[in-house]
Amino acid sequence: MRTGMWFDSGRVCLDLLATDGPEGAGSGCREGTRDGLRDGLRDGLSDGDALRLWLVGAGLVPDQTPLGRLGPDWVEAFRSLRHDVGTLVRAELAGTGPEEEALARVNAAAAGPPPGVCAVRNQEGHLVRELCGGVECAGMLATVARDAVELLTDPGDLALIRSCEGDGCARLYLDTSRGRRRRWCSSELCGNRERVARHRRRVREVAGT
């Protein structure tokens, strides 16, 4: 898995939004651009190799599934879907109406047939999951777009969306924690940085007294 990629949002479409930042560090639903560059930062879907690793990490492609070369058309298609999903999620969180063109594109992608899944025996004789009929870009897009449609039309899940409170991080995730008290996309990353920063502030305050 590519260093920095994040798959802990609770929804695959939100995991896709988290690639909008340096090396997939994730800037959540902040404003993005269609060419994948934002404020000079490297896109987490920088090329076909990065997209391949994201597809596997997100669970959209089973392990050991042969993947051919993912060209620029794949990368552009997923960046465009990410932009549109981000636009729609931001609109829902802000309580504004959805952008109709973005909605139409996501709906069109979701209407496509998702990849078929079948069980096959591996070399050890165990049943493993495999995609039937190969891996097609439209099928992968349909899977993510359908997840976005399900999220956008589910008031319960929409109410659980939170933005990470970490400094400089705006990753989005579903807060399914007890008491809905989750504050960070990752307690080990943003949470730990916040704790370290809090400790340093206390040390400076004590030193200044």
Side-chain angles (χ1 to χ4, degrees):
M1 186 181 300
R2 196 179 186 88
T3 301
M5 284 192 172
W6 182 67
F7 303 99
D8 195 28
S9 72
R11 299 298 295 245
V12 68
C13 63
L14 297 183
D15 288 343
L16 179 63
L17 297 187
T19 65
D20 186 14
E23 293 293 343
S27 55
C29 280
R30 286 178 175 169
E31 291 294 338
T33 60
R34 284 184 170 275
D35 64 2
L37 297 178
R38 184 181 55 77
D39 298 333
L41 300 178
R42 186 178 180 186
D43 195 302
L45 301 181
S46 57
D47 53 31
D49 290 337
L51 177 58
R52 177 186 291 106
L53 291 176
W54 184 84
L55 290 171
V56 173
L60 299 181
V61 177
D63 291 340
Q64 301 180 348
T65 296
L67 278 174
R69 179 177 176 273
L70 305 186
D73 54 331
W74 279 67
V75 176
E76 176 61 24
F78 271 87
R79 287 174 175 173
S80 295
L81 178 61
R82 180 184 64 191
H83 175 89
D84 288 337
V85 171
T87 297
L88 296 175
V89 171
R90 284 195 301 273
E92 287 298 316
L93 295 180
T96 60
E99 182 181 307
E100 294 301 326
E101 292 184 358
L103 182 61
R105 287 189 293 265
V106 171
N107 282 336
V117 180
C118 55
V120 299
R121 293 197 181 278
N122 61 15
Q123 294 181 347
E124 289 75 34
H126 303 298
L127 288 176
V128 295
R129 187 169 62 99
E130 189 174 279
L131 298 183
C132 305
V135 181
E136 300 292 337
C137 184
M140 296 291 100
L141 290 170
T143 300
V144 181
R146 288 186 179 195
D147 183 67
V149 169
E150 291 174 1
L151 174 62
L152 292 166
T153 58
D154 186 334
D157 274 0
L158 283 174
L160 297 178
I161 295 180
R162 302 287 186 271
S163 180
C164 179
E165 296 181 16
D167 185 27
C169 181
R171 283 173 173 166
L172 299 179
Y173 57 87
L174 296 188
D175 183 5
T176 57
S177 65
R178 176 180 293 184
R180 308 292 185 259
R181 295 180 178 179
R182 181 177 172 184
R183 297 177 54 197
W184 303 293
C185 62
S186 168
S187 179
E188 291 75 21
L189 295 176
C190 286
N192 187 59
R193 283 195 291 266
E194 175 63 23
R195 287 187 288 270
V196 170
R198 189 185 308 131
H199 172 72
R200 288 174 176 171
R201 287 194 296 270
R202 286 198 298 265
V203 169
R204 287 196 298 267
E205 290 171 359
V206 171
T209 58

